[in-house]
Amino acid sequence: MSVETTSLPAPKAALSNSQLALCFVAAAVVMTVVQYLGGLPEWLHRLPEALVPNFAGWLDAIFNFVKDDLGLLVVTRTLTEGLEWLLDASGNIFFGKRRWPNIGPIPWTAMAAVAAVVGYYLGGWRLALLGGGTMVWTALIGQWEIAMQTMSVLAIAAPLAFVIGLSLGIAAWKYAWVDNVIKPVLSVLQTLPFFTYLLPAVIFFKVGPTAGAVATTIYAIPPMILMTTLGLKKVSPEVVEAGKMSGCSRFQMLRHVYLPSARTEILVGVNQVIMLCLAMVVLTAFIGMPGLGAKLLAMMGSFKLGRSFEIGVTIVLLAVMLDRMSKAWVVKQPVHFERGTPFWKRHQMLLLGIAAFVGLTLISLVAPIFAEIGRGQDFSQGKELDNLIKAFLNIEWVKATTGFLRAFLNVQVLIPFRNFMLSIPTPAFILLVAAFALALAGRKQAIYAVIFFSLVALSGWWDRAIITLYSVISAVTLAALIGLPVGIIAARSEKWSTRVLLICDTAQTFPSFVYLIPAIMLFGITDIAVIFSILIFAMVPLTRYTIEGLRTVPEEMTEAADMAGATRMQKLWSVQLPLALPTMAVGFNQAIMFAFFMVIIAAFIGTQDLGQELQRTLAGTDLGKNFVLGICVSLMALTFDLTIMKWASDKKAVLGL
Amino acid sequence: MSAEVPVISCKNVWKIFGNDPTGFLKTMTPGMSFDEIRAAGYIAGVKDVSIEVNKGEMLVIMGLSGSGKSTLVRCFSRLHDITGGTIEVEGQDIMSLAEKDLIELRRSKMGMVFQSFGLLPHRSVLENVAFPLEMRGQDKHTRRERAMEVIKLVGLEGREDYFPRELSGGQQQRVGIARSLAIEPDIWFLDEPFSALDPLIRREMQDEFLRLQQLLNKTIVFITHDFDEALRLADRIAIMKDGAVEQCDTPDQIVLDPQTEYVRKFTEDIDKARVVHAGVLADATASGEGDPVDASLTVHSMARMLVNDTRAMIPVKKGDTIIGALSRQSALDILLGTGA
């Protein structure tokens, strides 16, 4: 999405942007007051049903045409067979699915050993412990098979996303027109709720692992494209010229000069691909993909909190392990060996890994406990944890707190706020959003805001869209109330900054699904649980960018403030915060995007918003409706994205950062 | 040495950056200045340059940053496509080359050294040096052998398994030099090769470079913004400003006879006595008596003799033949500065 940084000379308007925005707000207020007094005609309050265009029907018609008449379904079903074969093979290797090549499953001990060796190779003892420990935990807690079901899809989806993302990234870098086509598609894809990926995947690629793998792959492609293009653009011109002067042909340039020089960015892309794949593969439980996600879904559904908690820990451990290892790979640089180092020493780690793998596989042939931990042999403490959690929730003060929050927050704050938002007439609401975009960003963004929200109104899902928006706004506001002070306080000392940043970084690698667990534990299946899960999810980027923004304020400026005799508070308010604001806005924007993402997932708890409707469409074949709902969410998210990012980049330019 | 075809010969070369450079060049009024071109929305990287480089010669192109010297050298190797004019390399118009032939030309004839080295970070010293050989498809054994030869030549023996990141700046540039020499190029481009180095290392690398040049005797185009470096190394110096060549001459002529105000300013602070040679001062029609001086001596190195001598005209010899005589007075003027 190209956002113009130069502000065009405003057309001879009598009103400045902020004055115009004020007019919009005034008009909206008047309209709302008239509505309260009962003077507003109904058709101005909400778009009459009769006027709602049948977007869903049209989309369905288009889909059917593409699917049946153009024969896309035949193509995709053929692709399915190839994919199914791959998934079967990896399924056999990981958890012993009875398919070709019929050699699996790999004993858990061998897997743990390899994970430990890879960890050691990449990052020393800590990562070795993390890798091996994660595997051992998973096996001992009795979740080996479901974890491997998840991993078997990941092992296919992540490489697929990598290859496709890399190729598209190269194409976008090489040909401007590809870039122009891909960019808007990417920004929509990144805001599209994940349920919208799922249904087309189901329709075109059957239920189960194949559809899960496809949805996962598509979901993980965008960051790979972006990182590839970024890395290739950043290759130093002298390296490029050196390649040309060495007589490289075009292919040699790409293969030997560009791609290796962009190694860091490409590997960062790989890290993101893996993390997104894991997050998504867990979520594909909603379309019947077996594995950790499905188990978690079932356990949470039947309120078995102890088991849910254990599965949550497994998912988190896997996520942290994959993240740390792939990040360690990013920073790993080649180091030379002294002359005459023998072969075995050069390839020490590889040999050790192979030896451990072969050794443990052989042992497991004799001792089955090394191959598989059977039912009843695991150390799962589901029941006991359940009791523990229930006991904790029954402690007087905990009960009082959650009860108070439920009662006060819900009845006194959230519900009135929701009702108020719902009471605003549609045109007034659109005016308010336009005013927001106008005041923060500019006319272009305001026009986008009007178009996007009008489309939402036309979709016929206005009330549900507003409820979605209400959840997002309340959760982000609450998250800001907690996250910003935490960030500001942490940024005061180096030690705490790094600590909190580490927590944020780790928390960000957790698949979003995990955030539902504490929410449900504390608040059960209620509205508060929805808000709470979004809140903790959105708090992470807010805190993180606040710290980063404050820490990157140039030292000479804070020193200048100190020398001018500013107190801590004065320094914070008049020097640090203004300079950190653009960075904080990026965090705020990310928090809103995360919230839109989470609010849809929270539909699982039971909401009345777009997510709920979206989830319902998964059961059927209502592709048109599914898309209309998904695009509604995307349009709202995009409005905020465009406005806030424009504001942040304007502010940055003004501050000369 | 100028009897044969020049190695590089460029005539009226233009390189213009902008939206439609070719169209602009066709329609622009001749004689537009750099600033006028910029006002029209274009940047003249190279402005109507005609220059020749002869075989075995070291041409130093010098100018301040943004004067177009790097652009010009990139036109020679067609890293940039020129907008107008012709560039011939050994009699062949390089703009007419197909991509395949251009690659072939670079693989067999040209080597280039870059200011920030341009090394491939993921390859060891040996692999970096062998890179051009690998590109032209030489087998692993011969390219390793040849790479080791040049690595030895630049004095990096024993470091061949290191990665660029593990080397100092001077060592990295030695790798860059070795890489550019691996294919035994006839033409050697050096784009400010020592600018990124510390002054001490720079001096050392210049000596190293002179040693290599004596050994290899290549045709060299050397770029620098450091006048002292230019004077030290050059057979001829081309001084550039705003994309155009202000003057192209031997170091002696540049300091003795600056053609434009800009060049004069540049040479103002230079100690001319260290640059001007006896051979340049020698008047072939005049003759002197007594012991001749060698043509390759600078005025500075003859200083004691010039002061103590009493002759008006001193004969100058090149090898064993007398090529003329120099006026002691004019040599003293150079040594002590005129008018002072």
Side-chain angles (χ1 to χ4, degrees):
Chain A
M1 200 78 356
S2 77
V3 180
E4 281 183 40
T5 40
T6 47
S7 55
L8 294 164
K12 284 258 178 229
L15 294 170
S16 77
N17 278 356
S18 50
Q19 283 168 318
L20 201 58
L22 263 178
C23 292
F24 283 0
V25 173
V29 169
V30 169
M31 214 182 280
T32 313
V33 170
V34 173
Q35 146 77 10
Y36 280 170
L37 298 176
L40 201 72
E42 185 52 33
W43 58 268
L44 249 180
H45 178 52
R46 285 288 183 271
L47 194 70
E49 288 282 331
L51 286 182
V52 172
N54 188 10
F55 283 124
W58 300 341
L59 277 172
D60 262 340
I62 296 173
F63 275 127
N64 286 333
F65 175 72
V66 175
K67 189 176 89 180
D68 301 329
D69 297 316
L70 289 185
L72 188 64
L73 195 63
V74 183
V75 177
T76 55
R77 289 281 155 131
T78 322
L79 283 179
T80 309
E81 279 170 29
L83 194 61
E84 222 163 18
W85 182 80
L86 278 176
L87 284 167
D88 280 344
S90 89
N92 173 260
I93 291 168
F94 278 98
F95 62 94
K97 203 173 182 184
R98 295 192 187 287
R99 289 287 191 281
W100 183 89
N102 283 322
I103 45 170
I106 298 174
W108 69 270
T109 42
M111 203 80 134
V114 171
V117 172
V118 171
Y120 185 77
Y121 170 71
L122 289 172
W125 282 112
R126 280 164 174 242
L127 278 190
L129 206 64
L130 181 64
T134 303
M135 293 294 175
V136 171
W137 156 275
T138 312
L140 292 186
I141 208 76
Q143 289 162 2
W144 186 256
E145 180 154 356
I146 49 171
M148 286 307 114
Q149 283 172 346
T150 300
M151 293 300 272
S152 75
V153 176
L154 190 75
I156 299 297
L160 217 58
F162 168 74
V163 171
I164 298 173
L166 189 71
S167 322
L168 285 176
I170 293 171
W173 160 75
K174 197 129 197 170
Y175 308 104
W177 66 268
V178 177
D179 196 36
N180 292 336
V181 172
I182 279 183
K183 259 196 192 150
V185 175
L186 284 187
S187 51
V188 172
L189 273 187
Q190 282 186 321
T191 50
L192 214 54
F194 84 108
F195 279 140
T196 313
Y197 288 85
L198 291 180
L199 189 60
V202 169
I203 289 177
F204 287 105
F205 295 92
K206 292 186 186 173
V207 190
T210 14
V214 170
T216 306
T217 307
I218 295 176
Y219 186 67
I221 287 174
M224 190 67 222
I225 299 180
L226 293 177
M227 289 314 293
T228 307
T229 319
L230 182 75
L232 291 173
K233 277 188 188 150
K234 259 176 63 183
V235 176
S236 113
E238 285 207 337
V239 171
V240 174
E241 285 174 343
K244 283 188 184 162
M245 289 307 291
S246 298
C248 290
S249 65
R250 281 175 197 216
F251 177 74
Q252 285 174 327
M253 275 308 277
L254 188 65
R255 162 79 183 73
H256 294 290
V257 178
Y258 278 110
L259 288 181
S261 303
R263 176 186 181 274
T264 306
E265 283 78 10
I266 290 178
L267 286 184
V268 170
V270 168
N271 168 266
Q272 293 189 2
V273 162
I274 295 176
M275 297 327 289
L276 284 182
C277 275
L278 183 66
M280 190 65 177
V281 104
V282 173
L283 287 172
T284 50
F286 285 104
I287 50 168
M289 156 78 209
L292 287 170
K295 195 80 178 173
L296 181 56
L297 203 58
M299 289 299 150
M300 281 204 293
S302 52
F303 217 65
K304 286 185 179 155
L305 294 176
R307 293 283 284 181
S308 313
F309 181 76
E310 286 177 352
I311 298 173
V313 171
T314 310
I315 297 177
V316 164
L317 277 176
L318 280 175
V320 173
M321 175 189 92
L322 289 171
D323 181 59
R324 287 292 135 82
M325 285 198 180
S326 49
K327 274 192 184 142
W329 189 24
V330 175
V331 292
K332 186 138 183 98
Q333 296 281 356
V335 177
H336 73 275
F337 285 99
E338 282 312 319
R339 212 114 250 264
T341 315
F343 176 84
W344 66 268
K345 198 153 196 183
R346 278 172 198 255
H347 302 94
Q348 208 172 6
M349 283 297 141
L350 182 67
L351 295 175
L352 186 64
I354 293 174
F357 184 83
V358 173
L360 285 164
T361 310
L362 289 178
I363 294 176
S364 70
L365 289 179
V366 205
I369 194 79
F370 277 84
E372 202 176 348
I373 301 241
R375 229 168 232 287
Q377 290 172 310
D378 60 58
F379 293 91
S380 171
Q381 301 293 321
K383 273 262 155 51
E384 289 72 9
L385 272 175
D386 254 359
N387 295 335
L388 220 63
I389 292 167
K390 277 179 191 141
F392 172 74
L393 289 178
N394 265 330
I395 301 171
E396 208 47 52
W397 64 267
V398 179
K399 205 172 177 182
T401 320
T402 55
F404 165 77
L405 280 176
R406 245 187 261 188
F408 171 74
L409 211 58
N410 213 10
V411 177
Q412 304 294 326
V413 183
L414 294 176
I415 292 177
F417 180 54
R418 187 181 78 183
N419 291 343
F420 167 68
M421 280 182 67
L422 281 171
S423 71
I424 301 174
T426 307
F429 202 96
I430 295 176
L431 274 179
L432 284 177
V433 176
F436 164 76
L438 194 62
L440 279 186
R443 288 174 192 225
K444 198 169 136 191
Q445 281 70 25
I447 292 169
Y448 276 130
V450 170
I451 295 174
F452 288 176
F453 270 81
S454 302
L455 280 172
V456 174
L458 279 176
S459 76
W461 296 104
W462 181 261
D463 281 353
R464 283 187 183 263
I466 292 302
I467 295 178
T468 309
L469 205 55
Y470 135 79
S471 304
V472 167
I473 293 178
S474 356
V476 171
T477 311
L478 288 174
L481 285 180
I482 306 171
L484 296 186
V486 169
I488 290 173
I489 292 168
R492 273 160 64 158
S493 85
E494 189 71 46
K495 201 172 74 189
W496 278 101
S497 307
T498 34
R499 272 186 205 165
V500 176
L501 278 180
L502 184 71
I503 295 174
C504 288
D505 276 346
T506 314
Q508 230 167 12
T509 63
F510 298 171
S512 41
F513 212 24
V514 172
Y515 286 86
L516 287 177
I517 302 174
I520 291 182
M521 270 186 200
L522 287 176
F523 299 103
I525 313 272
T526 58
D527 243 19
I528 295 275
V530 175
I531 302 283
F532 184 76
S533 61
I534 308 175
L535 183 152
I536 43 180
F537 193 48
M539 213 170 83
V540 175
L542 274 173
T543 309
R544 193 200 151 116
Y545 279 92
T546 305
I547 296 181
E548 262 171 25
L550 288 173
R551 298 302 288 181
T552 48
V553 169
E555 208 160 325
E556 60 265 25
M557 306 223 178
T558 52
E559 278 169 1
D562 283 337
M563 290 314 288
T567 64
R568 248 189 184 180
M569 274 316 244
Q570 285 172 322
K571 191 166 80 175
L572 181 69
W573 282 106
S574 43
V575 178
Q576 288 172 308
L577 279 181
L579 284 168
L581 219 48
T583 313
M584 286 163 71
V586 174
F588 197 66
N589 186 46
Q590 215 178 74
I592 292 180
M593 297 303 121
F594 278 22
F596 270 110
F597 184 84
M598 198 66 192
V599 74
I600 304 298
I601 297 171
F604 168 74
I605 302 180
T607 47
Q608 292 148 2
D609 60 4
L610 292 169
Q612 192 62 18
E613 284 295 321
L614 258 172
Q615 207 191 341
R616 254 180 235 159
T617 61
L618 287 183
T621 50
D622 237 347
L623 205 51
K625 183 177 157 195
N626 174 282
F627 254 72
V628 169
L629 292 166
I631 288 171
C632 280
V633 178
S634 177
L635 287 174
M636 290 193 290
L638 272 178
T639 308
F640 285 101
D641 187 44
L642 286 176
T643 307
I644 297 177
M645 290 316 270
K646 172 73 163 56
W647 181 83
S649 71
D650 280 359
K651 252 293 174 296
K652 261 189 190 156
V654 168
L655 291 173
L657 293 171
Chain B
M1 65 182 172
S2 55
E4 44 197 313
V5 186
V7 178
I8 299 173
S9 145
C10 61
K11 291 192 187 74
N12 308 100
V13 168
W14 285 83
K15 173 68 190 174
I16 296 176
F17 298 100
N19 285 329
D20 175 26
T22 336
F24 175 74
L25 185 64
K26 269 185 197 131
T27 54
M28 72 173 254
T29 33
M32 259 173 119
S33 77
F34 183 82
D35 290 329
E36 284 164 350
I37 294 176
R38 187 163 59 189
Y42 289 87
I43 296 290
V46 173
K47 192 163 157 279
D48 200 16
V49 168
S50 299
I51 210 170
E52 286 181 354
V53 188
N54 298 313
K55 194 165 170 53
E57 175 187 45
M58 177 156 10
L59 175 73
V60 173
I61 301 179
M62 89 141 279
L64 302 178
S65 55
S67 61
K69 50 195 193 309
S70 288
T71 312
L72 179 61
V73 87
R74 277 163 176 73
C75 292
F76 289 165
S77 53
R78 214 181 134 187
L79 283 172
H80 288 335
D81 283 343
I82 53 175
T83 319
T86 55
I87 295 183
E88 287 179 4
V89 172
E90 297 187 336
Q92 194 174 29
D93 180 2
I94 59 164
M95 285 308 289
S96 68
L97 290 177
E99 186 176 319
K100 201 173 128 269
D101 300 320
L102 179 67
I103 287 176
E104 194 47 47
L105 177 76
R106 289 177 183 159
R107 280 181 182 178
S108 59
K109 291 241 162 78
M110 292 174 170
M112 184 156 176
V113 181
F114 299 89
Q115 180 175 3
S116 348
F117 324 134
L119 300 179
L120 297 167
H122 59 290
R123 289 174 164 247
S124 67
V125 169
L126 185 76
E127 289 164 334
N128 258 296
V129 174
F131 186 64
L133 306 171
E134 186 183 335
M135 290 304 102
R136 64 181 189 194
Q138 236 154 318
D139 70 89
K140 202 167 179 174
H141 186 70
T142 47
R143 71 176 189 241
R144 195 193 151 84
E145 213 166 295
R146 170 67 190 152
M148 282 308 296
E149 246 173 71
V150 256
I151 287 173
K152 241 176 255 177
L153 189 70
V154 298
L156 276 182
E157 213 182 346
R159 298 280 158 98
E160 58 272 6
D161 289 328
Y162 282 54
F163 287 91
R165 171 177 60 83
E166 300 174 305
L167 299 173
S168 71
Q171 287 171 329
Q172 290 192 37
Q173 193 55 296
R174 282 168 197 265
V175 180
I177 290 175
R179 177 177 62 187
S180 68
L181 290 175
I183 57 153
E184 300 183 67
D186 298 330
I187 312 167
W188 201 13
F189 300 111
L190 297 106
D191 181 13
E192 303 209 27
F194 309 136
S195 300
L197 305 177
D198 292 334
L200 264 176
I201 313 269
R202 191 182 309 164
R203 184 82 192 181
E204 185 189 314
M205 291 294 285
Q206 285 168 1
D207 290 336
E208 178 80 18
F209 172 70
L210 283 172
R211 179 182 73 87
L212 282 174
Q213 169 59 359
Q214 258 154 26
L215 219 64
L216 306 167
N217 202 26
K218 307 252 177 233
T219 304
I220 293 175
V221 179
F222 189 107
I223 296 185
T224 181
H225 63 251
D226 177 353
F227 204 12
D228 288 324
E229 189 170 76
L231 293 172
R232 228 179 138 216
L233 305 173
D235 290 322
R236 278 193 306 152
I237 299 178
I239 295 184
M240 286 186 77
K241 183 193 174 217
D242 291 346
V245 170
E246 293 272 314
Q247 187 175 357
C248 179
D249 239 323
T250 59
D252 304 67
Q253 288 302 330
I254 294 241
V255 294
L256 283 178
D257 183 20
Q259 308 264 302
T260 68
E261 183 58 26
Y262 184 73
V263 177
R264 198 187 61 72
K265 264 208 176 132
F266 236 108
T267 56
E268 224 166 38
D269 294 331
I270 296 298
D271 182 3
K272 295 187 176 63
R274 287 180 188 274
V275 178
V276 179
H277 296 86
V280 178
L281 295 174
D283 182 355
T285 57
S287 64
E289 295 166 354
D291 290 340
V293 293
D294 198 271
S296 66
L297 287 176
T298 59
V299 173
H300 183 262
S301 56
M302 298 187 293
R304 187 176 295 275
M305 186 272 282
L306 285 174
V307 175
N308 293 337
D309 213 308
T310 50
R311 290 171 290 178
M313 299 301 282
I314 303 172
V316 179
K317 66 169 182 179
K318 193 172 197 173
D320 285 329
T321 47
I322 302 288
I323 56 168
L326 62 81
S327 138
R328 191 170 68 90
Q329 189 54 49
S330 56
L332 278 172
D333 283 348
I334 289 170
L335 186 63
L336 304 171
T338 41

